[in-house]
Structure formats: C-alpha cells, structure tokens
Amino acid sequence: MDLVTLGMFIIDEIHYQPPKQPDFDVMGGAGLYTALGARLLRPPPSSSKVGWVVHQGHDFPSHIKEIINSWDTSCKFIETPDRPTTRAWNRYEQDGYRSFKYVNKKVRVDEDCLTAEQLMSRTYHLICSAERCINLVQGIKAKRKQMAEANDTDDHTKQALIDKPIYIWEPLPALCKPSEFGGFLEAVKFVNVVSPNLEEFCSLLGINLDLAQPCGWTSLRQSCKEIVESRSEDTETVLVVRLGEKGCYVAQPDRYLRLPAYHEQVAASRVVDPTGGGNTFLGGFGIGLLQSAGSSRAARFEEAALYGTVAASFAIEQVGVPILDRAPSRGELWNGETVERRLEEYRLRVKKKDDCAEE
C-alpha cells in the first residue's frame, strides 16, 4: 500500500447565492479528496495501493458507490445500517466564504478501522487535532508492531511493517489558534510533513501576512523557519503551507521553495470550486514523495509539491470530483486530460519561466 488516509468521507449539501440552485448528494470529505489526489497519480493496477475508509450508512446513494468502485482503490466500506452516512450542510456567502456544519453525528476513522493491508502502508495522511495526531501515529505504530511480532508473519511482511512510514499531518482548522501552538509543535515531532493552509498558518501564529507585498513573503519565510528549526534533532519534519490560488510554500531547514498554482497562469477561469483542493494536493504530495524516493531529500519534497499541485488542479474544476473516462489510445482521462500530460506541462512551465522561486 502506498498511501492511506484517515480522513472522513462526507456527503455534502451545497447552497449558493440566488438564483443558483443547491447541489445535493455531493461526494466530499478530507478522506475522499486525499484518496483522489493519490489515485490520480496511481492508475491501475497501482490504484489498489491507495487506501481509505468509508462509513456507509443506510442512506448511502448507489451512484456514489459506483463512482468509488470505478476508481479501483482499496476502499474499505464499513456498513452502519443503524445510522445515516455522515452528512454536512454548506453555503457560499456573497464574499465567497463557505459556511459549514455537520447535520448528523460524524464517524471518525482511526487505526482500528484499517485493514491488515492498510496497516502496511508506506504513507499515512491524518487530519485532526495535535493530540489526536500523536495518538493516531502511536496507534498505527502499535498495530504494525503487533502484526510484525505475530508468529505467522512472513519475513517480507515483517520488514514492511518495521520500516517507518511517512506521516503527513493536516492540522484541524478550528484548532489553528495561538493557544494550540504548543501542542502543534509537540505533534510536529511525530510526523514527516505538516501542512496547514495560509489562513490556518496565520491563525495558529496569531499573525497577518499579505503576500501581495514582498515583505509578506519575507515574513512567511521567517515564520516557517522558526517552526522547522524548532524541531527535535531526531525528526525531519517539513512544513508545507498551502496558498490556494498562489500555490504552495515548502519549508525545509536549509531550503525554501515557492511553486505557483497550476491554474494561476493557465486558465484561472477553469476553477469552479476550490473545496478539497488542499486535501487532493496532499494525496498527490504523498505519492510524489514515493515516486522520487531515490533523489536527494530536498529534491524529493520539491518533486512532491509538483505532484500535489497537479493533483489539486483536477479537484477544483467542478463541484465534487473530476470525471474519469478511459480511452483505448490514451489511457485514463480525468476531465478529458491525462494526468501525465498535465504534470509534464506544469514541470516544463515552472522550469522555463522560473516560477520555482528558491529562497
């Protein structure tokens, strides 16, 4: 297994400003979009190396299950016939802000929900509080240790369980505030990648950053530097700040990199709904880390950011998930394009126009 997300699956109801009509039964949730990001970059037969969990309530729409099954991932459906699927209500305000609330009790995913194969994953994506992040990492480690020590575990499986996986942590947005900063720094010691978006990052530190001004980028770098250099000696955590339409900022102790969003220069008008773009970015980012495993540490994270950026570009071109088609001569098409072509085009554009700004 290449990547497993412990994010939730949610069915969304989305309301807009009049006269636009609402959308119902929209696939959503961090688990869905992170799995999508990884799946975009793992066509069959490797698609089975993407793992996630869906709690399937008694009201689960059949057309949604058909879409999930069409992706050929290792999705574990947990049937909950005594309750509805986790659902949420959303509304776009006039200023573009998206209001959100759960309409029923949510069901979270933890290590006990994972299959034996998912517990052998090379990468895990977590979206949660700092305390829960530490508990999940420790829980996964304990489960893997227990499996490795079982008498019927073969040597190959045992080695896979002993190898340390990559942990990618998305801090819970509601808990990104100065009072939680101490817990944030503690959780950073347990993961390899931590990735808030810009709003969450500023809220966590209690600062304001205007990236329209040169001094904003200087302040961003300094704030990132304080975090990545505060890590303990036995951790190598990288900070990735997701910047929405401005791309992403990858901070390592001795290297700082800014990449533009894919649609920033190509066709910003193709952006329909940014929901899930950040989660999809991290799913693609995780696969990018594995794809560049033979490169230097700095190059690995830069390549991962390229993968994440391209993955996110597909997620935001519609409400919900992109359309998957299969063409005999071209392979998989997502929204009518191949992921490989878009990745190649973006890589060349960044290199040619020097959009990749090292600082």
Side-chain angles (χ1 to χ4, degrees), residues 32-177:
L32 166 79
Y33 282 108
T34 306
L36 169 66
R39 171 60 181 84
L40 283 161
L41 295 154
R42 281 288 187 261
S46 297
S47 56
S48 63
K49 296 181 180 180
V50 176
W52 50 310
V53 175
V54 172
H55 286 92
Q56 179 183 337
H58 59 70
D59 60 342
F60 202 85
S62 59
H63 75 276
I64 288 182
K65 191 164 187 178
E66 289 175 3
I67 293 173
I68 293 174
N69 287 336
S70 74
W71 291 0
D72 295 321
T73 58
S74 293
C75 178
K76 177 184 178 182
F77 287 95
I78 299 178
E79 295 186 3
T80 55
D82 58 334
R83 56 153 291 149
T85 308
T86 302
R87 290 179 176 267
W89 177 92
N90 306 259
R91 183 178 67 193
Y92 278 107
E93 308 296 347
Q94 289 185 343
D95 60 0
Y97 177 77
R98 181 169 176 161
S99 301
F100 173 91
K101 65 179 180 180
Y102 289 103
V103 299
N104 55 11
K105 186 177 180 180
K106 61 184 179 182
V107 183
R108 298 192 297 187
V109 179
D110 60 22
E111 69 275 9
D112 292 326
C113 297
L114 305 182
T115 66
E117 280 192 341
Q118 290 174 342
L119 284 166
M120 294 172 59
S121 181
R122 300 162 68 192
T123 313
Y124 291 95
H125 164 262
L126 317 172
I127 176 168
C128 51
S129 67
E131 181 182 6
R132 181 170 167 78
C133 172
I134 295 171
N135 291 337
L136 286 173
V137 171
Q138 291 177 331
I140 291 170
K141 286 182 177 179
K143 286 276 190 180
R144 289 167 68 102
K145 183 174 184 292
Q146 182 181 24
M147 288 176 62
E149 293 175 348
N151 293 330
D152 58 348
T153 302
D154 61 75
D155 291 341
H156 176 75
T157 301
K158 186 173 296 186
Q159 186 57 52
L161 290 165
I162 293 173
D163 291 341
K164 291 183 178 180
I166 297 168
Y167 292 98
I168 300 173
W169 175 42
E170 233 183 304
L172 200 63
L175 296 180
C176 287
K177 48 189 177 182

Side-chain angles (χ1 to χ4, degrees), residues 279-320:
N279 309 127
T280 310
F281 172 91
L282 290 176
F285 190 96
I287 297 300
L289 282 177
L290 300 180
Q291 286 291 100
S292 55
S295 305
S296 68
R297 183 172 179 276
R300 285 185 69 196
F301 284 100
E302 292 171 16
E303 183 73 358
L306 288 172
Y307 275 68
T309 299
V310 169
S313 71
F314 287 94
I316 61 179
E317 293 177 343
Q318 66 287 305
V319 175

Side-chain angles (χ1 to χ4, degrees), residues 208-223:
N208 292 310
L209 293 176
D210 182 4
L211 298 186
Q213 304 297 326
C215 62
W217 292 101
T218 302
S219 298
L220 175 60
R221 172 179 174 163
Q222 185 57 40
S223 298

